[in-house]
Amino acid sequence: MAKNESTKNEKKQFAIGIKVKLIIGFAIPLVFTIVIGLVAYSLAASGMTKNYEDSMSKAMSMAIEYLDFGFESAVSESEQLYYDTDLMRWATGAIYNEWTKKEIAEDVSLDLSVKKDGNRFVANMYIIPGNGLQVISSNNDETVIAGFYEELADKDEAACLQTLKGSWVGTHSYIDQVLSQQDTSYSTDHYACSYIRPMATKRACIVVDYSSDSIAGILQDLGLGEKSIAAFVTADGRELLLKDGVITSSDEISFVNQPYYTEAMADNAATIIDYVTYNHKQYLFMVSKSYQNGSAICAMVPVSLVNENAASIKNVTVFMVILSWLVAIVAGVLIIIGITATIRQISSKLETVSGGDLTVGVRERTDEFKLLARSVSHMIKNSRDLIVQVLKTTENVSSSTTNLSEASGVLTNSSNQIAAAVDEMDQGLNRQAEDAQNCLMQMDALSQRITKAVETVQRIGSITDNTKDVITNGMSTMDDLTDKSAATTDITKNVTGNIKNLEESLSEVERFVEMIDEIANETSLLSLNASIEAARAGEAGKGFAVVAQSVSSLSDGTIVAARQIQSVMEQIKGYANDTVQVAAQAEMIVSNQSRKRSMIPFRYSMT
């Protein structure tokens, strides 16, 4: 019971070992797949991020260049007005004709309208004169706004009026205040920044408002994506913010108040790219500066959006890896179940064979276990045939041994009879010799006493008759002895023949033993090959090692049994040879006795 339990535990441990190793074998390429996926994701994310940075840097540079072009064109248009002599005369009050004043104002207004329509960046253009004149606008409306140049010159937003150079401002609050009082449709949201330029006479100024919608369109054309923030920031800190592509209030976020914006603007580079944290999220921060008016385009793009395509690669990689894991696990489990079932079947069959039952069979397979199953089946069949042959040979040997025993008994009896007959013959010869000796002594005495032999002649004749009777009896005994010697010779020949037959049977048994040795050697070779393959397979080949050990044990047992049979046969051959020698000696003795017996009547006849 303990042995069976130990065997079950060994099988369980072995099966678990193979499962773990197969899973590891399947997992290694999958781990490499994960590594490749991570490396590919990292490289893709890095490459996409770099490409995104480059493309956005180029896009923002082109956008700011486009804005600079619009700024420069508006400045050029203001320069044209700056050198307009009629406008300068009109602004200085040198024209006293009201009709001429009105005509110049209308012409300038028309010119402003044309310039505005020809430049999509211009929201509106104003000529703000001094008191006594009306503000000229590109709107062509009927609203009459009195000039307020003198009041504007004292405001901070118009500090440039003290010189002949223009300046850029984000907002002009006093102008907004005056215009909004006269025009209810006026709104500061219509412009993002303004260019203010005094005229040469310093009696009027030119104001060019840049369209918020146009600048917002440029920011939208950047295509930053969802949850991105873009802004146009003037040199004095006014911001035009776009969040998710829609203009929004600067109360939500202000680039100007961020330290990374301050650092970027302090840098001499035209375009700055950096990664920043805003509201606990990572953003790609980009700034592109304008060389015309010190303004800048800013943008913050979520890093997740930058790596969106790489993230899709990551998701696909993770999905494929998980799918590969599932497929590998299912395939591995099926393979493990098949291997485990096959090993358990072969081990069970071998255990049954080791218990003495050679009637079992191993189910054929079509995979790599086919050779092992076939070899085990052939081993069981050959062992079964070998045992049947050994049993038949044993029966033959047993029968021959029985015959030999019977022949040995007959030979022993004959030998005893021969010995007894020889003893009787010796005794008779001794008596005959004694009688002959007495006869000679008496004949000697008779020859010496011839004269005295008359009275004893009858007695000598009587003695002679007795001697003849003894000789006759001896001859009869010798005839019997001859017959018995002939019978003994025939028996000896039969024993010799049986022993030769026994030798032939023993030769057949030797051939069977040689066949057993060959089968055992082939089985040992098969076991050795299986052990070598198991050693090559390492831990995964322990099942083959168990099978090879069982086959080797069975082969060793077969070799031991063959050696024992061969040893018994050698003993039997020795006994048979001894018996042949004894029979030959007995035959020689009987022949000599027959020859001596044939010589006895001749001697007596000579006597």
Side-chain angles (χ1 to χ4, degrees):
M1 184 66 181
K3 183 178 180 181
N4 293 334
E5 188 68 23
S6 176
T7 303
K8 291 180 180 179
N9 291 332
E10 290 178 358
K11 289 181 178 180
K12 184 176 180 181
Q13 293 175 359
F14 176 68
I16 293 174
I18 293 178
K19 291 178 182 178
V20 172
K21 291 172 184 175
L22 285 175
I23 290 173
I24 292 174
F26 280 108
I28 289 174
L30 295 178
V31 170
F32 280 108
T33 303
I34 295 174
V35 173
I36 292 172
L38 293 176
V39 172
Y41 168 72
S42 177
L43 293 176
S46 177
M48 290 179 179
T49 301
K50 185 69 169 85
N51 292 335
Y52 189 88
E53 291 176 357
D54 294 340
S55 62
M56 290 307 301
S57 175
K58 293 178 180 179
M60 293 189 67
S61 297
M62 293 177 63
I64 201 67
E65 289 177 1
Y66 186 39
L67 280 176
D68 283 343
F69 172 76
F71 295 151
E72 186 178 0
S73 63
V75 171
S76 298
E77 291 172 352
S78 66
E79 290 291 333
Q80 295 175 8
L81 295 173
Y82 179 82
Y83 292 105
D84 190 335
T85 56
D86 290 339
L87 182 60
M88 285 190 293
R89 291 171 59 216
W90 174 85
T92 56
I95 301 175
Y96 299 101
N97 190 329
E98 295 296 330
W99 177 258
T100 303
K101 290 181 181 180
K102 182 178 180 181
E103 184 178 3
I104 293 174
E106 290 177 352
D107 290 340
V108 173
S109 177
L110 180 61
D111 187 26
L112 294 178
S113 298
V114 172
K115 292 181 184 299
K116 170 190 172 184
D117 295 337
N119 191 336
R120 64 183 292 262
F121 292 100
V122 177
N124 209 340
M125 297 181 69
Y126 301 94
I127 303 296
I128 301 177
N131 297 327
L133 296 174
Q134 295 179 356
V135 176
I136 302 175
S137 172
S138 60
N139 289 333
N140 292 323
D141 54 9
E142 300 297 331
T143 304
V144 177
I145 302 175
F148 53 93
Y149 179 80
E150 290 80 7
E151 293 83 356
L152 178 62
D154 295 333
K155 306 301 180 186
D156 293 337
E157 63 195 67
C160 63
L161 299 181
Q162 305 301 324
T163 65
L164 295 178
K165 295 181 179 180
S167 65
W168 291 89
V169 294
T171 183
H172 37 63
S173 57
Y174 182 76
I175 296 175
D176 295 338
Q177 178 183 353
V178 173
L179 295 179
S180 61
Q181 289 176 353
Q182 303 296 325
D183 186 1
T184 56
S185 62
Y186 181 83
S187 174
T188 57
D189 295 334
H190 291 166
Y191 71 95
C193 64
S194 297
Y195 179 72
I196 301 176
R197 172 73 181 270
M199 297 188 67
T201 59
K202 293 186 179 181
R203 299 290 299 275
C205 66
I206 304 168
V207 179
V208 181
D209 289 341
Y210 283 82
S211 173
S212 298
D213 294 336
S214 297
I215 296 177
I218 293 176
L219 297 179
Q220 291 172 347
D221 291 341
L222 294 175
L224 300 178
E226 296 181 358
K227 298 182 180 179
S228 298
I229 303 172
F232 171 76
V233 183
T234 63
D236 56 2
R238 185 185 180 189
E239 297 177 89
L240 176 64
L241 287 174
L242 268 78
K243 187 174 182 181
D244 296 333
V246 179
I247 297 177
T248 185
S249 172
S250 60
D251 295 338
E252 294 187 19
I253 178 175
S254 175
F255 282 94
V256 176
N257 297 328
Q258 303 301 326
Y260 43 82
Y261 173 80
T262 304
E263 294 176 0
M265 295 305 294
D267 199 319
N268 293 325
T271 301
I272 307 297
I273 296 178
D274 194 7
Y275 285 90
V276 298
T277 301
Y278 175 72
N279 286 342
H280 309 290
K281 294 182 180 180
Q282 286 289 323
Y283 285 86
L284 173 63
F285 174 66
M286 296 172 287
V287 175
S288 186
K289 305 173 186 177
S290 170
Y291 287 105
Q292 287 292 329
N293 55 14
S295 61
I297 294 178
C298 304
M300 288 199 308
V301 182
V303 174
S304 60
L305 182 63
V306 176
N307 298 331
E308 184 177 5
N309 293 330
S312 63
I313 296 175
K314 176 182 178 182
N315 295 333
V316 171
T317 303
V318 171
F319 173 76
M320 293 304 297
V321 167
I322 293 174
L323 181 61
S324 301
W325 270 94
L326 294 177
V327 172
I329 290 172
V330 172
V333 169
L334 293 177
I335 293 173
I336 290 169
I337 291 174
I339 293 175
T340 303
T342 301
I343 293 176
R344 286 180 178 175
Q345 180 201 10
I346 294 175
S347 299
S348 176
K349 300 298 183 183
L350 290 176
E351 287 181 1
T352 305
V353 170
S354 64
D357 185 3
L358 298 177
T359 61
V360 298
V362 179
R363 181 167 54 88
E364 288 288 337
R365 292 182 61 89
T366 58
D367 53 10
E368 286 76 4
F369 285 96
K370 179 178 181 180
L371 178 61
L372 180 60
R374 182 181 297 173
S375 300
V376 172
S377 298
H378 288 173
M379 182 197 68
I380 295 173
K381 181 178 179 298
N382 293 334
S383 300
R384 184 169 57 247
D385 295 341
L386 176 63
I387 291 175
V388 171
Q389 291 178 359
V390 170
L391 290 175
K392 290 181 179 179
T393 304
T394 304
E395 291 177 356
N396 292 332
V397 172
S398 178
S399 177
S400 299
T401 303
T402 302
N403 294 332
L404 179 62
S405 178
E406 293 176 356
S408 298
V410 173
L411 181 62
T412 301
N413 293 331
S414 299
S415 297
N416 293 332
Q417 292 177 1
I418 291 171
V422 170
D423 290 338
E424 291 179 359
M425 185 180 68
D426 287 338
Q427 292 176 3
L429 289 174
N430 289 331
R431 287 195 298 271
Q432 185 179 8
E434 290 177 358
D435 292 339
Q437 185 67 30
N438 291 330
C439 179
L440 287 174
M441 291 176 64
Q442 290 177 3
M443 288 294 291
D444 218 16
L446 179 60
S447 64
Q448 292 176 1
R449 298 175 184 177
I450 190 68
T451 57
K452 297 180 181 179
V454 175
E455 64 272 16
T456 60
V457 170
Q458 280 90 19
R459 189 164 54 123
I460 293 172
S462 177
I463 293 171
T464 302
D465 292 333
N466 291 332
T467 303
K468 287 181 178 181
D469 293 335
V470 171
I471 292 173
T472 300
N473 293 329
M475 291 298 292
S476 177
T477 302
M478 289 298 292
D479 291 335
D480 294 337
L481 182 60
T482 299
D483 294 334
K484 293 180 178 179
S485 297
T488 301
T489 300
D490 293 335
I491 292 171
T492 303
K493 289 180 179 180
N494 291 331
V495 170
T496 303
N498 291 331
I499 292 173
K500 290 181 178 180
N501 292 331
L502 177 61
E503 288 179 348
E504 293 178 356
S505 298
L506 291 175
S507 297
E508 294 180 356
V509 173
E510 287 180 346
R511 287 195 295 274
F512 290 144
V513 171
E514 292 176 355
M515 185 183 299
I516 293 171
D517 286 335
E518 292 178 356
I519 294 173
N521 291 330
E522 291 178 356
T523 306
S524 297
L525 182 58
L526 177 61
S527 173
L528 180 58
N529 291 333
S531 298
I532 293 173
E533 293 299 327
R536 288 179 180 175
E539 291 295 325
K542 286 187 178 179
F544 295 101
V546 174
V547 174
Q549 184 64 32
S550 300
V551 173
S552 177
S553 299
L554 182 59
S555 174
D556 294 339
T558 304
I559 292 174
V560 172
R563 296 290 183 269
Q564 292 178 353
I565 293 172
Q566 189 173 9
S567 176
V568 173
M569 288 174 57
E570 293 294 335
Q571 293 179 1
I572 293 173
K573 287 177 68 177
Y575 295 153
N577 291 331
D578 294 338
T579 305
V580 170
Q581 292 178 3
V582 172
Q585 291 176 0
E587 186 176 2
M588 291 176 62
I589 292 172
V590 172
S591 297
N592 291 332
Q593 290 176 353
S594 298
R595 188 170 58 253
K596 289 180 181 180
R597 185 202 63 76
S598 63
M599 294 175 62
I600 292 174
F602 175 75
R603 288 201 303 268
Y604 276 99
S605 63
M606 291 295 294
T607 304

